[in-house]
Amino acid sequence: MDNNRVYIFDTTLRDGEQVPGCQLNTVEKIQVAKQLELLGVDIIEAGFPISSPGDFKSVVEIGKATTRPVICALTRAVEKDIDVAAESLQGIPMERRRIHTGIGTSDSHIKYKFNSNREEIIERAKHAVQYARKFVEDVEFYAEDAGRTDNEYLARVVEAVIAAGATVVNIPDTNGYCLPMDYGTKIKYLFDHVPNIDKAIISTHCHNDLGMATANTMAGLLNGARQAEVTINGIGERAGNTSLEEIVMIMKCHHNLGLDTGIDTHKIFPTSRMVRNLMNMPVQPNKAIVGRNAFAHSSGIHQDGVLKNKDTYEIMNPQDIGIDQNAIVLTARSGRAALKYRLSTLGHNVEGAELDSLYQKFLDLADKKKEIHDDDLLLLVSGHNTKQQYIKILKLQVTSGIDTTPVSVLQISTGGVVRELKADTGNGPVDATINALKKFLSQYKMELRELTLQSINKGSDDTCKVHVQVEVNGMICYGFASNTDVVLATVEAYVDAVNKYFVITNKDNVEDEEEEKK
Ligand code: KIV
Ligand code: ZN
């Protein structure tokens, strides 16, 4: 074994996907999994099979759709979970199957979650590993909340699960509590005190609650851990997980650390963009490595330095992470062939009728904005704005300005039935339109909880992406839309969220309810 090789365990499709509003369907998960394979990750955590039929299916399908990475299924330290995980992995060659089982080991988890004691938890941990080993040769054990687990006890747990057959032991900082120094010391403590530690790989799994996930992961790797559990763009529960791109680029930029991964860094940016688009999860503009501004030098002194020599202010080359600064920008004069070629470079091979239909949508968009960038194309392909929706916006006319009360006139259809125009006012064009929309849906209690607007590129004719959280009858629903018109994009995102409420609650009788009220 190469002692300097760090295994990259990607949990975008499990821990990352647990983020409310980021759920992907199986087809989308397969798309991400294939991209992760191209990126070169070693292990894909594909789901938590007992948690839902969708997760079960994703593990099965991701196993079929990929050929190289190990496919991992998560379980609790519970026999039934392990049975279901083993079943989901059945169609995958044995050398690519991994079960990831575990239990909380901090005093808080032992007492409040399990109402148990330290000795009993060790027995349950050993049993889970032994049980999982009946199905697969590769069993990873996680000591949940290891970050707050007493080191002496943690060392006993680690020794016991390795003796029981664990091939990898994960030391999660579940609550993102540790300081880098303490997390590093914890890993070192295990190497110094667990006699059989050389029989397993030690893994880091850090959450970012205090913004230290990357620093903690590096501290773990510098003290002997050789697997890093990460997600694309650092997505994950609460403040997220360690981001893959940061860990990989730290190792690349600091070769003196002597640590390598199997990642093709040129695929980092395309993967980040795919996950951002499919999950509708914006990346903060100043996010390290993949944020829009990560390589944008704005101050005069920096620009001058970079023009003289890139080395003055750039520690890495944007091309190394796959940012194509010479990307072709399409316009209304671009033909089908250019569109087809550009889409193929973005991983979408379209032809025939599908290409014709996309070309038409492309021309419609190109009529509204001069330059069509890759992100515009990805939005066109994802078809966000053309999904079958119960509520559809048919007409919208808004008046707003100085010394004018904003007024919106709106027409929608519900379940294919065209409704009469309704108008309302508000403190701005968006408020007026949402008030008008509420008039159609007066029987539902709706509240806009969160609104994020982002432009794709630049220019006043740019496409605006909008993410919203809307509370409908007490249920939080997430919506997304993009449009060159900011008000329309916002209202479409709002409607997208409300439509999700109808899908989740199987409601398709807005009209009837209104009729009944009359
Ligand atoms: O954060 C955590 O502890 C986890 C485990 C389930 C591995 O995600
Ligand atoms: Zn986690």
Side-chain angles (χ1 to χ4, degrees):
M1 197 176 90
D2 173 1
N3 282 336
N4 293 331
R5 172 72 152 82
V6 173
Y7 293 93
I8 298 294
F9 175 114
D10 183 278
T11 184
T12 305
L13 297 173
R14 200 278 299 169
D15 224 346
E17 218 245 348
Q18 278 171 222
V19 178
C22 282
Q23 278 67 37
L24 299 179
N25 60 37
T26 307
V27 174
E28 292 165 332
K29 285 189 190 172
I30 290 171
Q31 207 180 327
V32 173
K34 284 180 164 171
Q35 180 66 26
L36 292 173
E37 177 165 31
L38 285 177
L39 177 65
V41 308
D42 300 290
I43 304 108
I44 295 178
E45 187 162 48
F48 180 11
I50 199 152
S51 69
S52 72
D55 259 41
F56 183 93
K57 187 167 168 217
S58 298
V59 177
V60 174
E61 297 301 327
I62 289 171
K64 283 191 210 153
T66 52
T67 56
R68 191 192 42 78
V70 167
I71 303 300
C72 177
L74 184 79
T75 80
R76 294 166 297 181
V78 172
E79 285 190 4
K80 181 77 191 137
D81 282 31
I82 296 170
D83 290 339
V84 176
E87 198 189 328
S88 70
L89 293 169
Q90 243 168 19
I92 305 169
M94 184 54 97
E95 65 279 10
R96 292 183 54 222
R97 295 183 206 173
R98 178 181 294 182
I99 290 180
H100 188 191
T101 189
I103 196 161
T105 53
S106 65
D107 287 338
S108 154
H109 278 225
I110 294 174
K111 184 169 171 202
Y112 299 112
K113 226 175 124 173
F114 302 111
N115 186 22
S116 184
N117 59 61
R118 287 182 169 190
E119 299 315 312
E120 205 176 276
I121 291 293
I122 292 192
E123 288 312 308
R124 284 172 70 173
K126 274 172 27 190
H127 178 73
V129 171
Q130 281 159 351
Y131 191 73
R133 278 298 300 252
K134 291 190 179 150
F135 301 99
V136 295
E137 289 160 7
D138 187 2
V139 173
E140 173 169 344
F141 175 82
Y142 64 87
E144 195 179 5
D145 203 14
R148 294 189 303 165
T149 300
D150 163 53
N151 286 349
E152 214 176 301
Y153 174 63
L154 186 62
R156 289 180 52 216
V157 175
V158 173
E159 183 179 351
V161 295
I162 295 176
T167 45
V168 181
V169 184
N170 176 10
I171 310 297
D173 183 19
T174 305
N175 299 306
Y177 173 75
C178 288
L179 291 169
M181 194 179 68
D182 295 338
Y183 190 76
T185 305
K186 189 175 281 290
I187 301 294
K188 182 168 182 336
Y189 184 93
L190 296 177
F191 276 94
D192 290 344
H193 292 87
V194 175
N196 54 0
I197 200 146
D198 58 324
K199 305 272 182 311
I201 291 174
I202 297 300
S203 182
T204 62
H205 178 115
C206 300
H207 280 267
N208 205 29
D209 300 65
L210 292 171
M212 293 192 288
T214 297
N216 284 342
T217 299
M218 283 314 300
L221 297 177
L222 293 175
N223 281 285
R226 284 295 173 266
Q227 177 177 283
E229 303 197 5
V230 291
T231 60
I232 302 295
N233 301 336
I235 62 164
E237 290 224 71
R238 307 182 309 278
N241 289 58
T242 305
S243 74
L244 178 146
E245 58 276 11
E246 292 174 14
I247 288 302
V248 168
M249 291 313 287
I250 289 170
M251 287 188 252
K252 188 173 162 93
C253 289
H254 290 268
H255 342 245
N256 58 323
L257 298 177
L259 299 173
D260 310 314
T261 68
I263 297 294
D264 173 358
T265 62
H266 298 94
K267 304 272 177 354
I268 286 180
F269 186 71
T271 312
S272 159
R273 182 170 54 191
M274 176 188 281
V275 168
R276 148 164 65 86
N277 281 324
L278 288 175
M279 291 196 166
N280 293 327
M281 181 73 172
V283 171
Q284 73 193 62
N286 61 336
K287 163 84 180 63
I289 322 290
V290 292
R292 179 161 25 102
N293 297 345
F295 295 94
H297 301 279
S298 51
S299 90
I301 295 175
H302 286 206
Q303 286 173 344
D304 182 54
V306 169
L307 287 173
K308 286 180 176 142
N309 186 331
K310 279 186 182 301
D311 192 48
T312 50
Y313 288 103
E314 266 184 20
I315 57 165
M316 60 196 139
N317 192 332
Q319 279 86 358
D320 285 351
I321 64 150
I323 294 181
D324 182 357
Q325 288 177 319
N326 301 316
I328 303 165
V329 175
L330 303 182
T331 68
R333 281 186 300 283
S334 306
R336 261 187 190 64
L339 176 68
K340 181 174 154 70
Y341 170 74
R342 197 65 215 151
L343 286 171
S344 73
T345 64
L346 297 172
H348 295 273
N349 294 309
V350 288
E351 30 207 326
E354 198 189 350
L355 177 61
D356 289 345
S357 140
L358 273 173
Y359 188 60
Q360 196 46 54
K361 287 185 198 153
F362 161 78
L363 289 179
D364 291 346
L365 183 61
D367 257 359
K368 294 187 196 150
K369 59 179 293 201
K370 281 194 264 359
E371 296 182 341
I372 307 286
H373 294 261
D374 289 348
D375 278 302
D376 292 304
L377 296 181
L378 287 167
L379 285 169
L380 279 188
V381 181
S382 67
H384 280 297
N385 298 338
T386 53
K387 269 185 274 183
Q388 280 297 336
Q389 298 203 316
Y390 183 67
I391 304 173
K392 276 194 179 151
I393 299 173
L394 302 180
K395 280 189 189 144
L396 174 63
Q397 192 173 6
V398 200
T399 320
S400 73
I402 296 172
D403 287 338
T404 322
T405 303
V407 180
S408 176
V409 182
L410 180 69
Q411 186 174 37
I412 63 168
S413 66
T414 50
V417 178
V418 178
R419 313 282 297 271
E420 277 175 18
L421 291 165
K422 288 192 195 290
D424 210 335
T425 55
N427 65 5
V430 169
D431 188 40
T433 311
I434 287 172
N435 289 341
L437 179 71
K438 283 180 175 170
K439 282 190 164 170
F440 290 100
L441 305 166
S442 55
Q443 62 274 42
Y444 299 98
K445 207 168 165 303
M446 301 188 303
E447 192 79 54
L448 180 61
R449 290 266 170 244
E450 203 178 289
L451 173 68
T452 315
L453 291 103
Q454 271 195 325
S455 62
I456 287 189
N457 202 43
K458 58 187 178 212
S460 56
D461 66 347
D462 196 13
T463 302
C464 172
K465 298 193 289 181
V466 181
H467 295 80
V468 295
Q469 261 184 45
V470 182
E471 190 175 332
V472 188
N473 281 356
M475 183 190 289
I476 297 286
C477 301
Y478 296 83
F480 173 77
S482 63
N483 203 302
T484 49
D485 182 313
V486 178
V487 178
L488 200 45
T490 309
V491 179
E492 282 171 344
Y494 193 101
V495 165
D496 185 42
V498 179
N499 274 323
K500 299 231 173 83
Y501 171 82
F502 291 124
V503 172
I504 296 165
T505 56
N506 284 324
K507 272 207 185 333
D508 54 3
N509 56 348
V510 178
E511 211 96 66
D512 298 346
E513 289 183 25
E514 203 172 59
E515 288 305 317
E516 276 164 26
K517 257 182 75 180
K518 277 181 190 164

